[in-house]
Every structure is written in C-alpha cells, then in structure tokens.
Amino acid sequence: MDLEKPPPPRQEPEGCLVVAVRLPVRIVVLVLVVPVRMVWDALVVAGRFLNDTVLRPLGRALLWLGRAVFVWPFVGLWRYVVVPVAKGFAWLGNVLVVVPAVWLYRYVLTPLGHACAWVGRGVWHACAWVARGIGAGLAWIYARVLTPVGHAVMWALKGLGAVLAAIGLGVFGALAWLVRYLLVVPALWVYEWILTPVGRAIAWCARGLVWIVSTVVTGIGMALYWIARVLFVLPALGLYRWVLTPVGRVLAVIGRETWDALGHAWRVAGRISLAVGRFLATLLRWTFVEPVRWVYRTVLTPIGHVVRDAVLRPVAEAARSVGRATRQALAAARESVRQARADFRRMLFGEPREREAVARREPQGRETRTLGSSTTALTKD
C-alpha cells in the first residue's frame, strides 16, 4: 500500500519590506561572519593536529607511566608477597586452630553433648511423669468439687439477676413516662407554635435584605466595569492593535531575515574557508611535504637499509645467541637445584615406598588378548 506524500509547505507571498531588508542584511552578515568562520576552521584544524600529534601520544605515555608506577608494583606485591604470606597464614591457621578445634569437637564436645542429652532425656521423662500425676489430681478436684460449686453459684446469680431485671424495667418505664409528659410534649408545642413562625419571619427579612444588598453591589460592579473598560481596556487594546502589533511584525521580519542570513553566510563562509584551506594545504605540500618525502625516499631509506643490514641484524643475532646460552644455563641450574632438593629429601625422609604390584587380568608385556589364547581360567586349555 503506497502512502501519499504530504504536499509541500505553502510559501507565503513576501512583501516589499522583506525583499528590501534581505539583501543588505545578508551582505553585512556575510562580511562579519567570514572572518569568524575562517578563524573557527583554523582552530578546528589546529585542535585536531594537536590531538593527533601531541595529546594522544602524551596520554598513552602517561597511561603507560601510570601503569608502570602504580599498577605493576601493586600487582607484583599482591602476586609475590601478599598471596604467599596469606597462604602461609592460612596453613598456620589450619594447623594451629582448625585441626585442634575439629579434634576437640569430635573427641570431647560430641561425647559430652551426647551424655548431656541422655541426662536431659531422663530428667524430662521424670518431670513428665510427675506432671501427669499432678494433672490427674487437679482434674479430679475440678470434676468432683469445683463443678458442683460453680453450678450452685450460677443458679443463685441467675435468680438474683431476674429480680434485679424486673425492678429495673419498672423504674425505666416510670422514668420514660415522666420524661415524655414533662419535657418532650412541652418542647414540641413550643417548637410548633412559637419558634417556627418566628424563624420564618426572620428568614423572609434576611432574603429581602440579601436581595437589596446584591442589587446595590451589582449596580456598583457594572459601573466600575464600564469605567475600567473605557479608561484602561479600550486604550490598551488600541495600543496593542495599532502600535505594538505592526512594530512586532516588523521586528519579527528583521529577526527572521537576520537568522536566515546568518545561516546562509555561515555556509558560504564554510565554502570560502574550505577553498582557502585547500590552497594552503597544496602550498604546504609542494613547499615542505614533497621535498621531505623525496629526501626520505632517496636518501634516508637507503641509509636505513644499509644500517639494518650491516649493524642491526648482526647485533640482533648476537643478542639471540646470548639469550639462548642464558636460557640453557638457567635450565641447567634449575635441573641441578631440583636434583639437589630431591637428594636432600631422600636424605631426610628416606626412599619413597614403592607401590605393591597388583595382579591384573590383562597381560603385562607386549602380548595381547586374542581369540586363540585366553587369560581367563574358565576358557584356558
């Protein structure tokens, strides 16, 4: 399903004021913006060159220096000092604390705890037997003594409550009759024949007074409204409509054209600055870069090849030979140290115990199991 493209925005017709303001504003802004744009482009190029040639290598050097000064010493300290010392302390803690604590728990605390648990179970069973006896005695007292006494007390309380309820109902009925005919009936008569007419008269007078006050206030409000409208609103409306609106439109046109002129001048200044930069780059290339490149290719490169073949490669071969000899010497020294350590261990602890030979079902030599010769006792001829 193809979507219809929205119609292009409608261009409003421009007046003579817009056309008269546009050209001089663009000329003035272009003259003012071209130096600023060229200075800006020069600063951008200088900043990029400074970043590529100075700041980035300096940052890498500072990073390497920071690693060499701060990171690598701490890594070496952690790896070759802290970790071995911590392992040594861990071994000492295991030997001096963990192993004795495990032995104490296994061979002292565990039997002692089992004995305490056995004694506690015996005491608990004895207490439970005594508690069951006491509970049986209390249950007999409750069923044979307290229950009959409680039933008798409840029967007496029920009778006394019935008598008191009959007396209370009689007194309440008498008081209710007295309150009705001494208070309620006279108060109702006073409300119907005295208070109600007086209240209606007061309400009628209050409504009339409110109507009079509202009429006076409305008249005063209308008078003040028309006075304020004639003295303030109509002059302010005329000032806004016939003075501020035209001035605002003129200022809006000037501001819009100035903003458009700034954008146009910035783009044109960018083209001019680009052309100037290319011209300067070409001039620098033919006056400095190309001679330096020619000197590097025709002079420095052959000299570098001669130095590499005549000096650097023999020095590298000699360094590699020295490295190989050093590695061989170190390997021989390590082997000697290992042999001496093994001899010292044998001198202190003796020869290690050889493992006992275990009878195997598979043949020991090069012989293998075949279909013709078996090694099991059941199938052997």
Side-chain angles (χ1 to χ4, degrees), residues 74-309:
F74 286 106
V75 171
L77 180 65
W78 172 264
R79 183 176 297 173
Y80 299 108
V81 177
V82 176
V83 172
V85 171
K87 289 182 178 179
F89 279 117
W91 182 81
L92 288 176
N94 184 26
V95 172
L96 298 178
V97 178
V98 177
V99 173
V102 170
W103 183 87
L104 180 65
Y105 173 78
R106 183 176 296 172
Y107 298 104
V108 177
L109 296 180
T110 300
L112 184 61
H114 290 171
C116 292
W118 181 79
V119 173
R121 282 195 296 270
V123 173
W124 172 258
H125 290 305
C127 293
W129 182 79
V130 173
R132 282 196 296 269
I134 294 172
L138 293 177
W140 183 84
I141 293 172
Y142 175 77
R144 303 298 180 183
V145 178
L146 297 179
T147 300
V149 172
H151 289 172
V153 172
M154 288 298 297
W155 182 80
L157 291 177
K158 286 181 180 179
L160 182 60
V163 173
L164 293 176
I167 295 172
L169 288 176
V171 173
F172 178 76
L175 291 175
W177 185 84
L178 291 174
V179 169
R180 180 180 180 185
Y181 287 99
L182 293 178
L183 294 177
V184 177
V185 173
L188 184 61
W189 183 85
V190 170
Y191 174 77
E192 289 182 356
W193 298 101
I194 297 175
L195 297 178
T196 299
V198 174
R200 289 177 180 175
I202 293 172
W204 184 82
C205 294
R207 281 197 297 270
L209 183 61
V210 168
W211 179 82
I212 293 172
V213 173
S214 63
T215 303
V216 173
V217 172
T218 301
I220 295 172
M222 289 296 293
L224 293 177
Y225 166 75
W226 281 105
I227 291 172
R229 183 174 183 181
V230 171
L231 294 180
F232 298 103
V233 177
L234 294 179
L237 183 62
L239 179 65
Y240 173 77
R241 183 175 296 174
W242 304 107
V243 178
L244 297 179
T245 300
V247 173
R249 290 178 179 175
V250 173
L251 293 178
V253 170
I254 295 174
R256 185 174 65 250
E257 291 300 326
T258 304
W259 181 259
D260 294 340
L262 282 174
H264 182 72
W266 186 262
R267 291 189 294 271
V268 173
R271 299 295 179 85
I272 296 173
S273 176
L274 181 62
V276 173
R278 288 179 178 176
F279 171 74
L280 294 178
T282 304
L283 182 62
L284 180 66
R285 177 183 176 185
W286 290 108
T287 56
F288 180 74
V289 176
E290 289 297 334
V292 171
R293 182 181 296 178
W294 181 83
V295 170
Y296 175 78
R297 288 181 178 178
T298 58
V299 179
L300 297 180
T301 301
I303 293 174
H305 289 173
V306 171
V307 171
R308 182 190 62 188
D309 296 336

Side-chain angles (χ1 to χ4, degrees), residues 32-50:
L32 295 176
V33 169
V34 168
V36 177
R37 181 60 187 265
M38 294 185 67
V39 172
W40 174 259
D41 291 339
L43 291 176
V44 170
V45 173
R48 291 178 180 175
F49 177 77
L50 183 65

